[in-house]
Amino acid sequence: MPWPAVMPIKSVLPPVEKLIPELLPDALRDYVFDVADRQQAPPDFAAVTALCGLAAVSGNRVRISPKQNDDWVIVPNLWGAIVGRPSAMKSPAMQAALGPIYSIQDELREKWEEEIQAADIDDALSGLDAKDAKKKAEKALKGGDRKAARDILASLIDRGDPPPCPRIVVNDTTVEKLGELLNENPRGLLLIRDELPGFLARLESQEHQSERAFYLESFNGDGRFTFDRIGRGTVHIENCTVSIVGGVQPSRIAPIVRGAMTGTSNDGLIQRLQMTVWPDDIGSWQWVDRNPDLPARLAYEKAFREIYDLGMGDTNQPAMLRFSPESQALFQQWMTEIQVEARSGSLPSTLESHILKMPKTVATLALLFELVDGGRFEVNEVAMRRALGWADYLRSHANRLYSAGETMAADGARLILERRRQLPEPFTARDIQRKGWASLGDKDAVTSVIEMLIETHNCREAPPVVNKTGGRPSVSYIWNPNLKEEG
């Protein structure tokens, strides 16, 4: 079979907007940029983590209605991912940004432990009282006063299991357990994953499609879900309010994006990661060793504390804010523009789906900015303009994200072509993976690269070789001989 002509491999990551200080409220701004400077990391990492954390701290108690008369209501939960190469300081930035949440959770646990200890003491005292009460009940019964005996024994009935320990953060959990935790913490939870690809890859597998369905439902923040499991029984989740944030390496996100773009997993999961940022690497690095900016950190922590302690609404009767007239006009104009663009048919379907989910994100950000700035009645113009600034900023990062499937595969393909003489012929995916070349250390990345090499006619599958042991023959590849002559 003759070989087609080799096609060139071309790709460039689109540029992204930088995070400017004006995109953050005063209470968050200085600390986010202080963390970035001390860690020599892009400020985007701490900023996105902070906003996803604030969404979880606010929970579903306060909501935003983006129209003045319609019943469209948005729960302010956020899903975000910070994309950066290994050692880009993603995890330290996340930890610094989430410090106030961990502090609040630690205080909740300590208070809960004190209450449990006090309840244990009360139970012990009740045991002593029970002996005397039983004697009194027995005496009343012998005296013919059965009702008095029943009243005395009723006071001894077990008060039930102790209340669960309150939570804000979860890391690695099954969806059934997460459902139970949501019922115990109805305001909502924050799922934190240092490495999001493992979480996303799990949801790709066929046996975990029910989990995928749950997370798709939890993006809206006000959905309900019911699990029916043998052994565990039926678990009904009244409020699926989950915010998500995690880190991911470019080589790991590329296959997932590629799957969404080719249709193999395009159900909108990746598009729900609305707060995804992929900043450029810092061009220069310097040693920074100084104390954190204390006033900035205190202001930052205060913002989280005030949102958590906010005395507005609850899960059953949430407080509802609307836009001021100026904010409403700005939001209406922006939403009209993106709807026209998304429905024009000029965008890839994955990016189109992402854009159509942006109104929830923008409305959520506007609400959070208003709450951080102390607003409690309506979302004003300052908060809305800041949220629309985020819309432009996030859109540029979405453009980069959805080009990743092709771009990262192209970079890997060019690398393999340059080093093809270091591979046996025919070669296998495993041969490439064993080399440990940059961005080609995992199976999914190698698979994407080989697909691109085949699409551009640089190689193709070799004729199968019968395995002497009788097993299934391994898939191997051969190079286009025309390419060899050029090399």
Side-chain angles (χ1 to χ4, degrees):
M1 177 180 176
W3 284 80
V6 174
M7 298 170 59
I9 299 173
K10 299 179 180 179
S11 65
V12 178
L13 277 177
V16 292
E17 291 189 13
K18 291 186 177 181
L19 181 78
I20 59 174
E22 291 74 19
L23 286 178
L24 293 171
D26 293 345
L28 308 180
R29 181 185 306 155
D30 290 345
Y31 184 67
V32 164
F33 280 85
D34 178 61
V35 168
D37 179 62
R38 287 185 288 110
Q39 296 179 352
Q40 289 293 282
D44 317 58
F45 294 165
V48 165
T49 304
L51 294 177
C52 291
L54 275 172
V57 167
S58 176
N60 50 37
R61 299 168 299 154
V62 184
R63 307 181 186 188
I64 179 73
S65 184
K67 295 181 178 180
Q68 295 300 314
N69 302 304
D70 196 81
D71 60 357
W72 177 23
V73 175
I74 288 175
V75 175
N77 62 317
L78 293 172
W79 288 20
I82 55 177
V83 185
R85 57 176 175 74
S87 302
M89 305 301 287
K90 299 188 296 295
S91 294
M94 288 175 59
Q95 290 298 314
L98 295 170
I101 293 182
Y102 288 122
S103 295
I104 294 172
Q105 183 166 268
D106 289 344
E107 291 176 13
L108 292 173
R109 185 180 65 252
E110 291 171 2
K111 182 180 179 182
W112 173 81
E113 289 173 347
E114 291 174 358
E115 292 173 349
I116 292 298
Q117 185 178 22
D120 289 341
I121 294 173
D122 289 340
D123 286 342
L125 293 174
S126 297
L128 297 177
D129 292 338
K131 294 180 180 180
D132 184 54
K134 288 178 180 178
K135 291 180 181 179
K136 291 180 180 179
E138 184 179 359
K139 183 178 180 179
L141 188 62
K142 287 181 179 180
D145 193 346
R146 188 178 185 85
K147 181 179 182 304
R150 287 175 59 88
D151 291 342
I152 293 170
L153 292 177
S155 66
L156 303 179
I157 295 176
D158 185 15
R159 290 174 296 179
D161 295 330
C165 181
R167 298 278 294 276
I168 303 176
V169 171
V170 293
N171 298 108
D172 187 12
T173 178
T174 64
V175 289
E176 292 87 356
K177 182 61 180 178
L178 179 56
E180 293 179 359
L181 291 172
L182 284 169
N183 285 338
E184 295 169 359
N185 303 273
R187 281 167 54 164
L189 294 167
L190 175 64
L191 175 64
I192 302 172
R193 297 294 295 260
D194 271 350
E195 290 294 336
L196 269 177
F199 166 73
L200 296 174
R202 175 183 174 86
L203 299 184
E204 294 285 344
S205 59
Q206 190 63 38
E207 63 267 28
H208 294 114
Q209 288 308 293
S210 63
E211 295 185 21
R212 190 180 184 95
F214 165 77
Y215 282 108
L216 289 172
E217 184 69 31
S218 68
F219 172 74
N220 289 329
D222 58 354
R224 300 179 179 183
F225 205 86
T226 300
F227 291 103
D228 294 303
R229 295 288 187 272
I230 296 174
R232 187 180 288 266
T234 298
V235 177
H236 180 69
I237 309 165
E238 190 68 24
N239 294 284
C240 300
T241 307
V242 179
S243 290
I244 299 175
V245 68
V248 57
Q249 298 176 21
S251 63
R252 300 293 303 280
I253 197 67
I256 297 171
V257 173
R258 190 176 176 87
M261 296 184 71
T262 58
T264 57
S265 57
N266 189 20
D267 56 5
L269 181 65
I270 194 71
Q271 291 91 335
R272 282 164 167 78
L273 290 168
Q274 289 273 301
M275 298 291 290
T276 297
V277 291
W278 187 341
D280 294 326
D281 289 335
I282 294 180
S284 59
W285 183 91
Q286 59 181 337
W287 174 264
V288 177
D289 184 8
R290 60 173 175 79
N291 291 325
D293 184 333
L294 184 57
R297 186 170 69 181
L298 291 176
Y300 182 84
E301 292 173 349
K302 182 182 177 184
F304 277 80
R305 179 72 61 176
E306 288 181 346
I307 297 298
Y308 182 79
D309 292 335
L310 194 63
M312 293 176 60
D314 58 38
T315 298
N316 295 321
Q317 292 184 321
M320 195 70 62
L321 271 67
R322 295 183 186 271
F323 296 137
S324 68
E326 298 81 7
S327 295
Q328 188 69 72
L330 289 169
F331 185 77
Q332 180 179 341
Q333 178 184 355
W334 170 81
M335 188 167 171
T336 300
E337 291 172 355
I338 67 163
Q339 290 287 337
V340 170
E341 180 187 15
R343 297 171 191 274
S344 67
S346 62
L347 299 175
S349 60
T350 47
L351 183 57
E352 175 186 310
S353 175
H354 187 102
I355 290 173
L356 290 174
K357 289 179 173 58
M358 288 186 72
K360 169 180 165 60
T361 304
V362 170
T364 293
L365 290 172
L367 173 60
L368 292 175
F369 293 150
E370 183 68 26
L371 294 177
V372 170
D373 285 339
R376 300 292 183 263
F377 303 103
E378 63 180 5
V379 175
N380 289 300
E381 184 177 356
V382 172
M384 175 54 69
R385 289 192 180 278
R386 184 169 281 136
L388 293 177
W390 270 85
D392 294 338
Y393 161 80
L394 290 172
R395 171 65 185 274
S396 73
H397 287 260
N399 291 339
R400 175 170 287 189
L401 175 67
Y402 293 113
S403 72
E406 297 299 323
T407 301
M408 299 306 296
D411 291 344
R414 282 192 289 268
L415 180 63
I416 291 175
L417 282 173
E418 292 172 3
R419 303 178 182 179
R420 65 184 182 275
R421 298 191 187 281
Q422 300 179 33
L423 297 169
E425 189 167 0
F427 66 93
T428 66
R430 181 66 175 162
D431 291 327
I432 296 174
Q433 195 172 344
R434 283 173 178 166
K435 292 292 184 181
W437 292 331
S439 304
L440 294 171
D442 64 84
K443 182 179 178 181
D444 290 339
V446 172
T447 299
S448 296
V449 167
I450 291 178
E451 288 176 357
M452 176 161 286
L453 288 170
I454 293 174
E455 291 170 3
T456 54
H457 311 307
N458 282 282
C459 70
R460 67 186 180 196
E461 284 192 24
V465 178
V466 178
N467 195 322
K468 295 181 180 179
T469 61
R472 182 168 50 180
S474 60
V475 178
S476 58
Y477 306 90
I478 55 175
W479 294 109
N480 187 327
N482 298 322
L483 178 65
K484 280 194 168 186
E485 291 171 6
E486 296 170 2

